[in-house]
Each structure stands twice: as C-alpha cells, then as structure tokens.
C-alpha cells in the first residue's frame, strides 16, 4: 500500500527510526521510575509499539523530540506552532529532526491516519493470538497474520535452513523473557501462543502501565 514510502504519504525509514527511538526512550524511563526491570523481548516491544502509535498517542496535540533523552511537546505552543502545526492537517505526525530542530520529519507523511489505523489493526490482530483464549492461525505463523511473507523472505528461509543443516545446527531459535516468546524456524520469526497457565507463568502479554 506504499505506507513505507514518504513520496506516497507513508512513513519512511528515518521517520520510523525516530518513532522507535522515542518509544524506547519513554518506555525505558517509565520502567526506571517504576523500579522494574526492562523486558528486552522483541514480541512484547512490537505489541507495545503498535499499541502506542495505533491507540494511545494523540497525533493532534502532541509532537515528538528525541533530543535530551526524549520528550513530547505541544504542537500548538508558540515556539513550535510555526514549524510543527499544520492547520489543514491537524492529525499529522509532528517529529522534530534532531539535527535541524525547526524541521518536521513527519510533515510529508500525509497518510499518517491510515498508518495509525494499520498499527491499531496489527495490535488487535496480534493480541487475539497471544491472549487467552488465543485464536489459532491458519499458517502457523502469528506474524504472517499481519505481514505476509514475500518470495524473498521464503528464499532466504530456505537458504538459511540449508546452511543450518550443513553445519549440523538447528534452524529454529527461541527467546523468552517476560512471558512473551519469540520463536523462529527456518528463518522466520513468530510470537509463541503456547499456553503457560499450567506452569504458573505470567500471561504472555501484559498491558504495561500508563
């Protein structure tokens, strides 16, 4: 749908990187002040990223800066309005360029509302597969429910599988921390939906504090 191309109004790689950095900055700060350990798990982080920018973030009033450990600012403030407030597109994503502070990196992303809705749908679809009771997946891959594998991805998986067999190692891998497990097999990545209730473990995904 061209949502990753700035010239079609999508979110380019630089803007996406800034959104990720800001998300991690605020998340780490919240965990530090709460006195809890950070959950360094890609599955949980992906869900929380979609939750933030798909549901929680107020695009109309709030701008993003990643300078000085990251902060939010009001788009309508006197010292920000000229560069970050767009009267014709109040829902635009305002993100300060850390190298040129009067430049709005998100200004060209005029389809940000569609991006936001896509993030929201992705969050709800993934949650339906990792929450109890979990919905089964047709392909066996949870991530494939929001991102269909391409021919390039399939070829890469086959090459990795062949290389792993040649080295006498397993092509699968698993990482689990904080109740969410990232499972990969033959070059793919996924979020484990196996039940943990019998083992007394915490739920696979738990909504973090706001």
């Amino acid at each position: 749908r061209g949502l990753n191309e700035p010239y079609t109004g999508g979110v380019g790689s630089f803007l996406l990187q800034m959104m990720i950095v800001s998300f991690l900055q605020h998340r780490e700060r919240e965990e530090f002040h709460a006195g809890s350990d950070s959950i360094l798990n890609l599955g949980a982080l992906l869900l929380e990223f979609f939750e933030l920018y798909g549901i929680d973030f107020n695009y109309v009033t709030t701008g993003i800066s990643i300078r000085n450990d990251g902060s939010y600012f009001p788009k309508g403030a006197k010292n920000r309005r000229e560069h970050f407030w767009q009267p014709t597109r109040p829902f635009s994503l305002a993100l300060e360029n850390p190298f040129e502070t009067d430049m709005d990196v998100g200004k060209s992303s005029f389809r940000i509302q569609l991006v936001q809705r896509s993030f929201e749908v992705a969050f709800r679809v993934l949650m339906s597969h990792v929450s109890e009771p979990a919905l089964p997946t047709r392909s066996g891959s949870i991530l494939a429910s929001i991102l269909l594998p391409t021919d390039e991805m399939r070829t890469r998986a086959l090459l990795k599988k062949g290389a792993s067999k040649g080295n006498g190692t397993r092509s699968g891998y698993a990482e689990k921390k904080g109740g969410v497990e990232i499972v990969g097999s033959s070059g793919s990545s996924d979020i484990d939906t196996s039940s943990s209730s019998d083992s007394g473990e915490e739920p696979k995904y738990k909504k973090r504090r706001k």
Side-chain angles (χ1 to χ4, degrees):
R1 291 175 292 178
L3 295 182
N4 63 324
E5 298 293 348
Y7 63 85
T8 58
V11 173
S13 59
F14 182 64
L15 175 57
L16 181 59
Q17 289 178 51
M18 298 300 100
M19 293 171 68
I20 293 172
V21 169
S22 175
F23 159 69
L24 293 175
Q25 287 174 328
H26 287 278
R27 186 185 189 282
E28 192 66 20
R29 186 179 298 114
E30 289 180 11
E31 297 293 336
F32 175 79
H33 289 306
S36 57
D37 295 331
S38 297
I39 300 175
L40 303 178
N41 178 276
L42 294 179
L45 291 175
L46 179 63
L47 284 167
E48 291 181 15
F49 177 86
F50 285 149
E51 182 183 24
L52 173 62
Y53 292 111
I55 300 175
D56 294 339
F57 189 78
N58 192 328
Y59 290 80
V60 177
T61 64
T62 310
I64 300 172
S65 172
I66 67 167
R67 294 185 302 118
N68 303 319
D69 296 327
S71 62
Y72 294 136
F73 61 84
K75 292 164 60 174
K78 289 184 179 180
N79 62 332
R80 297 284 191 172
R81 187 182 307 158
E82 179 182 357
H83 302 292
F84 297 98
W85 172 251
Q86 300 183 52
T88 58
R89 290 196 292 118
F91 198 82
S92 64
L93 175 60
L95 200 154
E96 175 192 76
N97 189 321
F99 307 110
E100 298 182 52
T101 56
D102 59 349
M103 179 179 292
D104 184 0
V105 181
K107 189 174 184 177
S108 62
S109 299
F110 56 84
R111 298 173 69 195
I112 193 64
Q113 284 184 285
L114 180 57
V115 175
Q116 178 266 323
R117 288 195 294 270
S118 299
F119 285 162
E120 179 182 2
V121 170
F123 172 76
R124 299 191 186 282
V125 170
L126 291 178
M127 280 298 296
S128 70
H129 295 301
V130 300
S131 302
E132 297 294 346
L135 296 178
T137 58
R138 294 182 179 180
S139 64
S141 169
I142 296 177
L143 290 183
S145 62
I146 63 170
L147 182 64
L148 295 177
T150 62
D151 291 339
E152 180 183 357
M153 292 167 64
R154 294 190 183 94
T155 302
R156 189 184 307 160
L158 290 174
L159 292 174
K160 185 174 181 179
K161 183 177 180 180
S164 298
K165 286 183 177 180
N167 295 330
T169 60
R170 294 179 57 190
S171 58
Y173 61 90
E175 177 187 352
K176 184 170 184 180
K177 189 172 183 180
V180 180
E181 185 170 11
I182 303 297
V183 177
S185 178
S186 302
S188 64
S189 297
D190 214 335
I191 304 176
D192 183 33
T193 57
S194 59
S195 176
S196 59
S197 57
D198 295 338
S199 61
E201 298 178 4
E202 296 181 356
K204 285 169 284 303
Y205 175 79
K206 187 175 182 180
K207 188 180 179 70
R208 65 191 178 93
R209 294 171 299 280
K210 299 298 178 189

